[in-house]
Amino acid sequence: MNETFISISKYNSKKWYVVDASDKPLGRVATIISTILQGKHKVDYHPSMDIGDYVIVINAQAMHLDSWTIGHPKYRVYSPGRPGSSLKLIFEKIPKRIIESSVRNMLPNGLRQKFYKRLRVYNNSQHPHESQKPIPFKWN
């Protein structure tokens, strides 16, 4: 008989990771964050079990958006139907909303709200989560 061990969330404690978004492309940052939130970076990942971790994103204002997306003469609209909501204007005013929206859209539909609560985004390198002992995430 095959006895496969499938871990559940009470067997492992949730860790806190710090992701530095300075000079990184938006898509790469969002992919890494969604992977950590779901727990796909762990060896005992199983889609039916919640083994994801918490993520702290720092330096959201220093994130790299390519010049074609922002400076192209054809104005990119971030939310169609809403005047004044281009990607450039939103990135200048609220850069954390861009990261939150892109990560939220990369998460599975049934678990979006659950995983989304574990994400904290800050515009600079200061964050109030030192007591959780966050681990800096290593980029490949």
Side-chain angles (χ1 to χ4, degrees):
M1 177 176 238
N2 187 5
E3 295 185 13
T4 303
F5 176 74
I6 298 176
S7 67
I8 59 176
S9 61
K10 70 178 181 181
Y11 285 133
N12 54 359
S13 61
K14 305 220 180 287
K15 295 179 183 175
W16 288 70
Y17 287 97
V18 174
V19 175
D20 189 7
S22 61
D23 297 329
K24 304 282 192 300
L26 172 64
R28 180 64 55 95
V29 171
T31 305
I32 294 295
I33 293 169
S34 65
T35 302
I36 296 172
L37 288 175
Q38 296 176 54
K40 288 186 175 183
H41 64 291
K42 297 183 178 181
V43 293
D44 56 347
Y45 169 73
H46 194 270
S48 66
M49 301 298 162
D50 178 24
I51 59 170
D53 294 323
Y54 289 86
V55 178
I56 303 166
V57 181
I58 57 173
N59 296 326
Q61 283 183 331
M63 187 176 52
H64 179 274
L65 292 178
D66 58 348
S67 61
W68 189 85
T69 309
I70 290 181
H72 196 265
K74 186 177 183 181
Y75 222 57
R76 295 277 172 184
V77 177
Y78 191 61
S79 298
R82 303 184 112 188
S85 62
S86 70
L87 183 63
K88 181 178 181 181
L89 292 176
I90 290 181
F91 185 70
E92 290 172 355
K93 292 179 182 177
I94 325 167
K96 76 182 251 185
R97 185 177 292 176
I98 295 173
I99 295 176
E100 289 174 349
S101 175
S102 59
V103 169
R104 186 175 181 277
N105 289 329
M106 287 187 178
L107 295 173
N109 288 339
L111 302 172
R112 275 187 183 173
Q113 196 60 32
K114 184 177 185 180
F115 290 148
Y116 188 65
K117 290 179 182 178
R118 297 184 193 151
L119 175 64
R120 310 282 193 262
V121 181
Y122 298 100
N123 290 337
N124 52 16
S125 61
Q126 310 282 327
H127 62 83
H129 302 288
E130 291 299 326
S131 61
Q132 281 79 22
K133 299 182 182 89
I135 304 165
F137 187 77
K138 304 274 193 279
W139 291 85
N140 291 341

